[in-house]
Amino acid sequence: MWDMKVAEGGLDEVGDFVAMLHDYDSWLVSAQYPHLYETLEWEEPPRVVKQVLRHARAGETRICWDLLTRITGGSVLTGEAPEFAPWAGEPELYLHFLVTRVRFRQLSMAALVDDARAQAGRCGVRLLRTHCWTGEDGRFVREYEELGFTATLEFEELRLDGSFWRGQVLQTRV
């Protein structure tokens, strides 16, 4: 449907996944969101690398390829929400780390969200949730809303440096 293929990722794709996270953040900083970099936490190795490796080992990563078999996006899909997202009151799938190459952003995001909805349906789960940075202009929230999500809970997550990362939890019914 989107000229993209999505399937379970593994350790072979972790390098590409982490590179997309870095490239994505770099694009955001230089193109539109100069203050985003200040909200990121870095350690050696970065916490996000450890998290993606853990999810890949657990079979929870999803990778998007184009027709030429180039990796264009990735995400993590679990049955658990992060600490800042309160229990939904029902079983859910939670979409974490949705990231794409800039060039394929819209198609890859749509394919990964469609894949998450399909996975939820196969699991008999009716609720799919995710979260994003609210940013200065709310663009990311609007992108998820265009994909069928509804904004629910705003939150602030305390970072190691004492600053806060502002975010929005979103949900959609499957």
Side-chain angles (χ1 to χ4, degrees):
M1 176 174 170
W2 299 102
D3 293 334
M4 299 281 171
K5 173 186 149 191
V6 179
E8 182 178 320
L11 293 175
D12 291 343
E13 293 87 14
V14 167
D16 285 309
F17 196 119
V18 171
M20 280 186 294
L21 288 167
H22 173 74
D23 292 345
Y24 182 75
D25 290 334
S26 297
W27 171 78
L28 289 174
V29 171
S30 63
Q32 302 245 354
Y33 300 97
H35 303 294
L36 178 60
Y37 190 77
E38 298 166 9
T39 72
L40 301 175
E41 291 184 282
W42 297 102
E43 58 187 61
E44 198 53 50
R47 182 174 61 152
V48 69
V49 172
K50 295 177 203 173
Q51 292 171 327
V52 170
L53 278 169
R54 181 173 45 87
H55 290 297
R57 288 183 184 116
E60 297 169 334
T61 55
R62 307 296 295 168
I63 301 295
C64 185
W65 290 271
D66 68 6
L67 295 177
L68 300 175
T69 69
R70 294 176 295 201
I71 294 176
T72 62
S75 65
V76 169
L77 194 57
T78 72
E80 296 179 23
E83 289 180 17
F84 53 77
W87 184 62
E90 65 183 281
E92 69 178 311
L93 281 186
Y94 202 96
L95 185 62
H96 308 263
F97 299 114
L98 194 151
V99 65
T100 67
R101 297 205 187 277
V102 173
R103 181 175 172 201
F104 302 98
R105 181 160 177 74
Q106 291 178 326
L107 290 176
S108 295
M109 275 187 75
L112 287 160
V113 167
D114 282 352
D115 174 70
R117 283 189 179 103
Q119 287 289 99
R122 286 190 284 277
C123 295
V125 174
R126 296 186 25 87
L127 181 64
L128 175 64
R129 291 197 302 168
T130 192
H131 68 275
C132 66
W133 182 59
T134 57
E136 297 154 2
D137 66 0
R139 175 181 173 206
F140 296 123
V141 174
R142 287 191 303 278
E143 286 182 353
Y144 279 105
E145 288 172 338
E146 289 170 7
L147 290 169
F149 285 86
T150 301
T152 58
L153 170 75
E154 290 185 36
F155 66 92
E156 288 186 337
E157 185 177 37
L158 180 63
R159 303 309 233 166
L160 295 175
D161 68 0
S163 66
F164 288 93
W165 188 87
R166 291 184 11 237
Q168 178 77 56
V169 175
L170 301 104
Q171 71 180 34
T172 187
R173 291 279 167 197
V174 178

PDB file of all heavy atoms in Angstrom, residues 111-140:
ATOM      1  N   ALA A 111       3.631   3.607   7.059  1.00  0.00           N
ATOM      2  CA  ALA A 111       3.791   2.156   6.986  1.00  0.00           C
ATOM      3  C   ALA A 111       4.021   1.557   8.368  1.00  0.00           C
ATOM      4  O   ALA A 111       3.452   0.510   8.704  1.00  0.00           O
ATOM      5  CB  ALA A 111       4.953   1.813   6.051  1.00  0.00           C
ATOM      6  N   LEU A 112       4.833   2.209   9.190  1.00  0.00           N
ATOM      7  CA  LEU A 112       5.101   1.688  10.530  1.00  0.00           C
ATOM      8  C   LEU A 112       3.861   1.764  11.428  1.00  0.00           C
ATOM      9  O   LEU A 112       3.602   0.855  12.216  1.00  0.00           O
ATOM     10  CB  LEU A 112       6.286   2.421  11.158  1.00  0.00           C
ATOM     11  CG  LEU A 112       7.643   2.031  10.559  1.00  0.00           C
ATOM     12  CD1 LEU A 112       8.691   3.099  10.855  1.00  0.00           C
ATOM     13  CD2 LEU A 112       8.090   0.668  11.065  1.00  0.00           C
ATOM     14  N   VAL A 113       3.087   2.823  11.306  1.00  0.00           N
ATOM     15  CA  VAL A 113       1.845   2.931  12.085  1.00  0.00           C
ATOM     16  C   VAL A 113       0.831   1.888  11.607  1.00  0.00           C
ATOM     17  O   VAL A 113       0.180   1.223  12.418  1.00  0.00           O
ATOM     18  CB  VAL A 113       1.272   4.360  12.028  1.00  0.00           C
ATOM     19  CG1 VAL A 113      -0.158   4.411  12.557  1.00  0.00           C
ATOM     20  CG2 VAL A 113       2.166   5.322  12.808  1.00  0.00           C
ATOM     21  N   ASP A 114       0.704   1.711  10.291  1.00  0.00           N
ATOM     22  CA  ASP A 114      -0.200   0.666   9.769  1.00  0.00           C
ATOM     23  C   ASP A 114       0.230  -0.709  10.258  1.00  0.00           C
ATOM     24  O   ASP A 114      -0.611  -1.541  10.622  1.00  0.00           O
ATOM     25  CB  ASP A 114      -0.217   0.687   8.238  1.00  0.00           C
ATOM     26  CG  ASP A 114      -1.076   1.805   7.677  1.00  0.00           C
ATOM     27  OD1 ASP A 114      -1.788   2.487   8.461  1.00  0.00           O
ATOM     28  OD2 ASP A 114      -1.035   2.008   6.447  1.00  0.00           O
ATOM     29  N   ASP A 115       1.535  -0.965  10.276  1.00  0.00           N
ATOM     30  CA  ASP A 115       2.057  -2.232  10.769  1.00  0.00           C
ATOM     31  C   ASP A 115       1.718  -2.413  12.249  1.00  0.00           C
ATOM     32  O   ASP A 115       1.315  -3.500  12.674  1.00  0.00           O
ATOM     33  CB  ASP A 115       3.575  -2.294  10.562  1.00  0.00           C
ATOM     34  CG  ASP A 115       4.183  -3.522  11.183  1.00  0.00           C
ATOM     35  OD1 ASP A 115       3.951  -4.640  10.659  1.00  0.00           O
ATOM     36  OD2 ASP A 115       4.887  -3.386  12.208  1.00  0.00           O
ATOM     37  N   ALA A 116       1.854  -1.357  13.032  1.00  0.00           N
ATOM     38  CA  ALA A 116       1.532  -1.431  14.465  1.00  0.00           C
ATOM     39  C   ALA A 116       0.046  -1.730  14.668  1.00  0.00           C
ATOM     40  O   ALA A 116      -0.318  -2.540  15.529  1.00  0.00           O
ATOM     41  CB  ALA A 116       1.924  -0.135  15.159  1.00  0.00           C
ATOM     42  N   ARG A 117      -0.798  -1.098  13.865  1.00  0.00           N
ATOM     43  CA  ARG A 117      -2.245  -1.385  13.951  1.00  0.00           C
ATOM     44  C   ARG A 117      -2.516  -2.859  13.607  1.00  0.00           C
ATOM     45  O   ARG A 117      -3.314  -3.523  14.268  1.00  0.00           O
ATOM     46  CB  ARG A 117      -3.022  -0.487  12.996  1.00  0.00           C
ATOM     47  CG  ARG A 117      -3.205   0.909  13.477  1.00  0.00           C
ATOM     48  CD  ARG A 117      -4.187   1.668  12.568  1.00  0.00           C
ATOM     49  NE  ARG A 117      -4.380   3.003  13.065  1.00  0.00           N
ATOM     50  CZ  ARG A 117      -3.816   4.087  12.538  1.00  0.00           C
ATOM     51  NH1 ARG A 117      -3.052   4.004  11.484  1.00  0.00           N
ATOM     52  NH2 ARG A 117      -4.047   5.275  13.065  1.00  0.00           N
ATOM     53  N   ALA A 118      -1.866  -3.347  12.556  1.00  0.00           N
ATOM     54  CA  ALA A 118      -2.053  -4.743  12.156  1.00  0.00           C
ATOM     55  C   ALA A 118      -1.564  -5.694  13.253  1.00  0.00           C
ATOM     56  O   ALA A 118      -2.227  -6.698  13.550  1.00  0.00           O
ATOM     57  CB  ALA A 118      -1.331  -5.025  10.841  1.00  0.00           C
ATOM     58  N   GLN A 119      -0.431  -5.374  13.861  1.00  0.00           N
ATOM     59  CA  GLN A 119       0.091  -6.204  14.952  1.00  0.00           C
ATOM     60  C   GLN A 119      -0.889  -6.214  16.127  1.00  0.00           C
ATOM     61  O   GLN A 119      -1.129  -7.253  16.727  1.00  0.00           O
ATOM     62  CB  GLN A 119       1.452  -5.685  15.423  1.00  0.00           C
ATOM     63  CG  GLN A 119       2.592  -5.961  14.461  1.00  0.00           C
ATOM     64  CD  GLN A 119       2.958  -7.417  14.433  1.00  0.00           C
ATOM     65  OE1 GLN A 119       2.546  -8.154  13.534  1.00  0.00           O
ATOM     66  NE2 GLN A 119       3.718  -7.856  15.402  1.00  0.00           N
ATOM     67  N   ALA A 120      -1.447  -5.049  16.448  1.00  0.00           N
ATOM     68  CA  ALA A 120      -2.421  -4.972  17.534  1.00  0.00           C
ATOM     69  C   ALA A 120      -3.623  -5.857  17.219  1.00  0.00           C
ATOM     70  O   ALA A 120      -4.098  -6.608  18.081  1.00  0.00           O
ATOM     71  CB  ALA A 120      -2.860  -3.523  17.756  1.00  0.00           C
ATOM     72  N   GLY A 121      -4.105  -5.785  15.994  1.00  0.00           N
ATOM     73  CA  GLY A 121      -5.235  -6.621  15.593  1.00  0.00           C
ATOM     74  C   GLY A 121      -4.921  -8.095  15.716  1.00  0.00           C
ATOM     75  O   GLY A 121      -5.751  -8.879  16.190  1.00  0.00           O
ATOM     76  N   ARG A 122      -3.720  -8.505  15.311  1.00  0.00           N
ATOM     77  CA  ARG A 122      -3.326  -9.908  15.421  1.00  0.00           C
ATOM     78  C   ARG A 122      -3.240 -10.356  16.877  1.00  0.00           C
ATOM     79  O   ARG A 122      -3.463 -11.519  17.187  1.00  0.00           O
ATOM     80  CB  ARG A 122      -1.987 -10.148  14.720  1.00  0.00           C
ATOM     81  CG  ARG A 122      -2.090 -10.151  13.210  1.00  0.00           C
ATOM     82  CD  ARG A 122      -0.813 -10.632  12.538  1.00  0.00           C
ATOM     83  NE  ARG A 122       0.255  -9.644  12.541  1.00  0.00           N
ATOM     84  CZ  ARG A 122       0.380  -8.652  11.660  1.00  0.00           C
ATOM     85  NH1 ARG A 122      -0.506  -8.505  10.687  1.00  0.00           N
ATOM     86  NH2 ARG A 122       1.391  -7.817  11.717  1.00  0.00           N
ATOM     87  N   CYS A 123      -2.920  -9.415  17.765  1.00  0.00           N
ATOM     88  CA  CYS A 123      -2.818  -9.731  19.200  1.00  0.00           C
ATOM     89  C   CYS A 123      -4.159  -9.609  19.916  1.00  0.00           C
ATOM     90  O   CYS A 123      -4.243  -9.876  21.117  1.00  0.00           O
ATOM     91  CB  CYS A 123      -1.813  -8.790  19.870  1.00  0.00           C
ATOM     92  SG  CYS A 123      -0.124  -8.978  19.311  1.00  0.00           S
ATOM     93  N   GLY A 124      -5.179  -9.145  19.209  1.00  0.00           N
ATOM     94  CA  GLY A 124      -6.481  -8.947  19.840  1.00  0.00           C
ATOM     95  C   GLY A 124      -6.529  -7.725  20.745  1.00  0.00           C
ATOM     96  O   GLY A 124      -7.354  -7.651  21.647  1.00  0.00           O
ATOM     97  N   VAL A 125      -5.652  -6.776  20.493  1.00  0.00           N
ATOM     98  CA  VAL A 125      -5.579  -5.552  21.295  1.00  0.00           C
ATOM     99  C   VAL A 125      -6.247  -4.431  20.518  1.00  0.00           C
ATOM    100  O   VAL A 125      -6.021  -4.266  19.321  1.00  0.00           O
ATOM    101  CB  VAL A 125      -4.096  -5.199  21.592  1.00  0.00           C
ATOM    102  CG1 VAL A 125      -3.976  -3.868  22.289  1.00  0.00           C
ATOM    103  CG2 VAL A 125      -3.452  -6.306  22.416  1.00  0.00           C
ATOM    104  N   ARG A 126      -7.065  -3.638  21.208  1.00  0.00           N
ATOM    105  CA  ARG A 126      -7.812  -2.571  20.518  1.00  0.00           C
ATOM    106  C   ARG A 126      -7.216  -1.180  20.700  1.00  0.00           C
ATOM    107  O   ARG A 126      -7.674  -0.231  20.092  1.00  0.00           O
ATOM    108  CB  ARG A 126      -9.257  -2.573  21.007  1.00  0.00           C
ATOM    109  CG  ARG A 126      -9.988  -3.862  20.659  1.00  0.00           C
ATOM    110  CD  ARG A 126     -11.462  -3.862  21.004  1.00  0.00           C
ATOM    111  NE  ARG A 126     -12.123  -2.582  21.073  1.00  0.00           N
ATOM    112  CZ  ARG A 126     -12.671  -1.935  20.023  1.00  0.00           C
ATOM    113  NH1 ARG A 126     -12.600  -2.471  18.823  1.00  0.00           N
ATOM    114  NH2 ARG A 126     -13.281  -0.780  20.188  1.00  0.00           N
ATOM    115  N   LEU A 127      -6.191  -1.043  21.546  1.00  0.00           N
ATOM    116  CA  LEU A 127      -5.614   0.266  21.823  1.00  0.00           C
ATOM    117  C   LEU A 127      -4.149   0.298  21.424  1.00  0.00           C
ATOM    118  O   LEU A 127      -3.363  -0.569  21.823  1.00  0.00           O
ATOM    119  CB  LEU A 127      -5.747   0.603  23.316  1.00  0.00           C
ATOM    120  CG  LEU A 127      -5.201   1.956  23.755  1.00  0.00           C
ATOM    121  CD1 LEU A 127      -5.976   3.100  23.106  1.00  0.00           C
ATOM    122  CD2 LEU A 127      -5.240   2.077  25.277  1.00  0.00           C
ATOM    123  N   LEU A 128      -3.788   1.305  20.641  1.00  0.00           N
ATOM    124  CA  LEU A 128      -2.401   1.551  20.250  1.00  0.00           C
ATOM    125  C   LEU A 128      -2.048   2.949  20.735  1.00  0.00           C
ATOM    126  O   LEU A 128      -2.764   3.907  20.442  1.00  0.00           O
ATOM    127  CB  LEU A 128      -2.252   1.475  18.723  1.00  0.00           C
ATOM    128  CG  LEU A 128      -0.879   1.815  18.147  1.00  0.00           C
ATOM    129  CD1 LEU A 128       0.184   0.816  18.620  1.00  0.00           C
ATOM    130  CD2 LEU A 128      -0.947   1.854  16.624  1.00  0.00           C
ATOM    131  N   ARG A 129      -0.972   3.033  21.519  1.00  0.00           N
ATOM    132  CA  ARG A 129      -0.543   4.349  22.007  1.00  0.00           C
ATOM    133  C   ARG A 129       0.904   4.611  21.629  1.00  0.00           C
ATOM    134  O   ARG A 129       1.665   3.693  21.334  1.00  0.00           O
ATOM    135  CB  ARG A 129      -0.682   4.445  23.536  1.00  0.00           C
ATOM    136  CG  ARG A 129      -2.104   4.461  24.012  1.00  0.00           C
ATOM    137  CD  ARG A 129      -2.269   4.965  25.428  1.00  0.00           C
ATOM    138  NE  ARG A 129      -1.513   4.200  26.411  1.00  0.00           N
ATOM    139  CZ  ARG A 129      -1.319   4.608  27.672  1.00  0.00           C
ATOM    140  NH1 ARG A 129      -1.816   5.765  28.090  1.00  0.00           N
ATOM    141  NH2 ARG A 129      -0.651   3.854  28.519  1.00  0.00           N
ATOM    142  N   THR A 130       1.267   5.886  21.661  1.00  0.00           N
ATOM    143  CA  THR A 130       2.628   6.332  21.409  1.00  0.00           C
ATOM    144  C   THR A 130       2.816   7.659  22.115  1.00  0.00           C
ATOM    145  O   THR A 130       1.905   8.155  22.781  1.00  0.00           O
ATOM    146  CB  THR A 130       2.918   6.440  19.896  1.00  0.00           C
ATOM    147  OG1 THR A 130       4.330   6.606  19.701  1.00  0.00           O
ATOM    148  CG2 THR A 130       2.153   7.577  19.250  1.00  0.00           C
ATOM    149  N   HIS A 131       3.982   8.241  21.976  1.00  0.00           N
ATOM    150  CA  HIS A 131       4.223   9.581  22.506  1.00  0.00           C
ATOM    151  C   HIS A 131       5.232  10.286  21.608  1.00  0.00           C
ATOM    152  O   HIS A 131       5.930   9.657  20.815  1.00  0.00           O
ATOM    153  CB  HIS A 131       4.721   9.532  23.956  1.00  0.00           C
ATOM    154  CG  HIS A 131       6.090   8.952  24.096  1.00  0.00           C
ATOM    155  ND1 HIS A 131       6.310   7.601  24.190  1.00  0.00           N
ATOM    156  CD2 HIS A 131       7.311   9.530  24.142  1.00  0.00           C
ATOM    157  CE1 HIS A 131       7.600   7.371  24.303  1.00  0.00           C
ATOM    158  NE2 HIS A 131       8.233   8.534  24.274  1.00  0.00           N
ATOM    159  N   CYS A 132       5.291  11.593  21.760  1.00  0.00           N
ATOM    160  CA  CYS A 132       6.254  12.378  20.996  1.00  0.00           C
ATOM    161  C   CYS A 132       6.609  13.647  21.754  1.00  0.00           C
ATOM    162  O   CYS A 132       5.918  14.024  22.708  1.00  0.00           O
ATOM    163  CB  CYS A 132       5.718  12.717  19.604  1.00  0.00           C
ATOM    164  SG  CYS A 132       4.293  13.811  19.605  1.00  0.00           S
ATOM    165  N   TRP A 133       7.654  14.271  21.313  1.00  0.00           N
ATOM    166  CA  TRP A 133       8.077  15.566  21.847  1.00  0.00           C
ATOM    167  C   TRP A 133       7.072  16.603  21.371  1.00  0.00           C
ATOM    168  O   TRP A 133       6.699  16.622  20.193  1.00  0.00           O
ATOM    169  CB  TRP A 133       9.482  15.875  21.342  1.00  0.00           C
ATOM    170  CG  TRP A 133      10.079  17.145  21.836  1.00  0.00           C
ATOM    171  CD1 TRP A 133      10.304  17.497  23.136  1.00  0.00           C
ATOM    172  CD2 TRP A 133      10.554  18.226  21.036  1.00  0.00           C
ATOM    173  NE1 TRP A 133      10.894  18.730  23.186  1.00  0.00           N
ATOM    174  CE2 TRP A 133      11.067  19.204  21.908  1.00  0.00           C
ATOM    175  CE3 TRP A 133      10.610  18.464  19.666  1.00  0.00           C
ATOM    176  CZ2 TRP A 133      11.615  20.400  21.468  1.00  0.00           C
ATOM    177  CZ3 TRP A 133      11.161  19.651  19.221  1.00  0.00           C
ATOM    178  CH2 TRP A 133      11.658  20.598  20.122  1.00  0.00           C
ATOM    179  N   THR A 134       6.627  17.466  22.265  1.00  0.00           N
ATOM    180  CA  THR A 134       5.647  18.479  21.869  1.00  0.00           C
ATOM    181  C   THR A 134       6.296  19.615  21.096  1.00  0.00           C
ATOM    182  O   THR A 134       5.654  20.262  20.287  1.00  0.00           O
ATOM    183  CB  THR A 134       4.897  19.062  23.077  1.00  0.00           C
ATOM    184  OG1 THR A 134       5.839  19.611  23.992  1.00  0.00           O
ATOM    185  CG2 THR A 134       4.042  18.009  23.739  1.00  0.00           C
ATOM    186  N   GLY A 135       7.565  19.852  21.346  1.00  0.00           N
ATOM    187  CA  GLY A 135       8.293  20.863  20.592  1.00  0.00           C
ATOM    188  C   GLY A 135       7.757  22.259  20.760  1.00  0.00           C
ATOM    189  O   GLY A 135       6.877  22.509  21.583  1.00  0.00           O
ATOM    190  N   GLU A 136       8.296  23.122  19.981  1.00  0.00           N
ATOM    191  CA  GLU A 136       7.927  24.526  20.076  1.00  0.00           C
ATOM    192  C   GLU A 136       6.625  24.838  19.360  1.00  0.00           C
ATOM    193  O   GLU A 136       5.931  25.776  19.708  1.00  0.00           O
ATOM    194  CB  GLU A 136       9.060  25.369  19.516  1.00  0.00           C
ATOM    195  CG  GLU A 136      10.317  25.207  20.337  1.00  0.00           C
ATOM    196  CD  GLU A 136      11.568  25.477  19.541  1.00  0.00           C
ATOM    197  OE1 GLU A 136      11.482  25.825  18.351  1.00  0.00           O
ATOM    198  OE2 GLU A 136      12.648  25.333  20.121  1.00  0.00           O
ATOM    199  N   ASP A 137       6.296  24.060  18.340  1.00  0.00           N
ATOM    200  CA  ASP A 137       5.090  24.385  17.558  1.00  0.00           C
ATOM    201  C   ASP A 137       4.087  23.232  17.473  1.00  0.00           C
ATOM    202  O   ASP A 137       3.075  23.353  16.802  1.00  0.00           O
ATOM    203  CB  ASP A 137       5.479  24.843  16.158  1.00  0.00           C
ATOM    204  CG  ASP A 137       6.130  23.739  15.332  1.00  0.00           C
ATOM    205  OD1 ASP A 137       6.296  22.607  15.837  1.00  0.00           O
ATOM    206  OD2 ASP A 137       6.490  24.013  14.174  1.00  0.00           O
ATOM    207  N   GLY A 138       4.349  22.118  18.134  1.00  0.00           N
ATOM    208  CA  GLY A 138       3.406  21.002  18.139  1.00  0.00           C
ATOM    209  C   GLY A 138       3.334  20.211  16.839  1.00  0.00           C
ATOM    210  O   GLY A 138       2.410  19.423  16.642  1.00  0.00           O
ATOM    211  N   ARG A 139       4.316  20.370  15.970  1.00  0.00           N
ATOM    212  CA  ARG A 139       4.287  19.711  14.661  1.00  0.00           C
ATOM    213  C   ARG A 139       4.198  18.186  14.762  1.00  0.00           C
ATOM    214  O   ARG A 139       3.458  17.553  14.008  1.00  0.00           O
ATOM    215  CB  ARG A 139       5.528  20.103  13.870  1.00  0.00           C
ATOM    216  CG  ARG A 139       5.632  19.375  12.554  1.00  0.00           C
ATOM    217  CD  ARG A 139       6.879  19.779  11.809  1.00  0.00           C
ATOM    218  NE  ARG A 139       7.029  18.949  10.629  1.00  0.00           N
ATOM    219  CZ  ARG A 139       8.178  18.703  10.059  1.00  0.00           C
ATOM    220  NH1 ARG A 139       9.269  19.242  10.537  1.00  0.00           N
ATOM    221  NH2 ARG A 139       8.241  17.946   9.012  1.00  0.00           N
ATOM    222  N   PHE A 140       4.953  17.608  15.680  1.00  0.00           N
ATOM    223  CA  PHE A 140       4.952  16.152  15.789  1.00  0.00           C
ATOM    224  C   PHE A 140       3.595  15.629  16.230  1.00  0.00           C
ATOM    225  O   PHE A 140       3.128  14.608  15.749  1.00  0.00           O
ATOM    226  CB  PHE A 140       6.044  15.670  16.736  1.00  0.00           C
ATOM    227  CG  PHE A 140       7.418  15.992  16.245  1.00  0.00           C
ATOM    228  CD1 PHE A 140       8.274  16.737  17.014  1.00  0.00           C
ATOM    229  CD2 PHE A 140       7.841  15.579  15.006  1.00  0.00           C
ATOM    230  CE1 PHE A 140       9.539  17.052  16.563  1.00  0.00           C
ATOM    231  CE2 PHE A 140       9.098  15.890  14.536  1.00  0.00           C
ATOM    232  CZ  PHE A 140       9.954  16.627  15.325  1.00  0.00           C
TER     233      PHE A 140
END
